[in-house]
Amino acid sequence: MDSDAESEPNREMAERPVLVGLIPQTVVLDDGDQVSWISDAGNLRVEFDVNRCPFSSNVFQAPAGMRLLSGPPRPGSKAATYKYKLWLNDQLVGHGEVILREK
């Protein structure tokens, strides 16, 4: 059985992009904001440096489809950039950063 693509070899095919995942490089938080991460692709883990984390926990984990919320920054957290690692199904898939703005 021949497909249309095989019967017309010079025919151009249209591309239909599919967004699989988007990892923001930087998230900026104002006073009273929190970060939200979500992935339908698998188990998600966000990990900040244990000695340099603005939130009450430095590790956030959730199964596929569940939203992770950082909660508000801890009182006394300095306006700065805080870097994190992003894991999907126990595979490191990227890095990001959270920037806390001054109050």
Side-chain angles (χ1 to χ4, degrees):
M1 199 187 300
D2 288 336
S3 70
D4 288 340
E6 290 173 350
S7 62
E8 298 177 26
N10 295 327
R11 180 178 165 206
E12 286 189 40
M13 286 202 257
E15 291 184 14
R16 303 287 186 233
V18 176
L19 181 61
V20 175
L22 177 64
I23 302 170
Q25 294 296 321
T26 304
V27 176
V28 179
L29 296 183
D30 288 316
D31 195 27
D33 289 348
Q34 66 179 335
V35 184
S36 172
W37 298 273
I38 189 166
S39 173
D40 289 334
N43 298 325
L44 187 62
R45 185 172 82 229
V46 174
E47 192 174 303
F48 287 85
D49 182 329
V50 70
N51 296 314
R52 196 165 190 289
C53 179
F55 306 110
S56 60
S57 175
N58 73 305
V59 177
F60 301 90
Q61 297 183 82
M66 296 297 294
R67 189 168 53 153
L68 289 175
L69 296 173
S70 66
R74 288 187 310 228
S77 294
K78 294 181 180 182
T81 298
Y82 298 89
K83 296 183 185 234
Y84 63 87
K85 294 178 184 176
L86 189 62
W87 304 79
L88 188 61
N89 292 329
D90 294 324
Q91 296 292 316
L92 181 63
V93 293
H95 297 85
E97 57 187 27
V98 173
I99 298 175
L100 293 185
R101 289 190 188 184
E102 288 192 39
K103 297 178 185 177

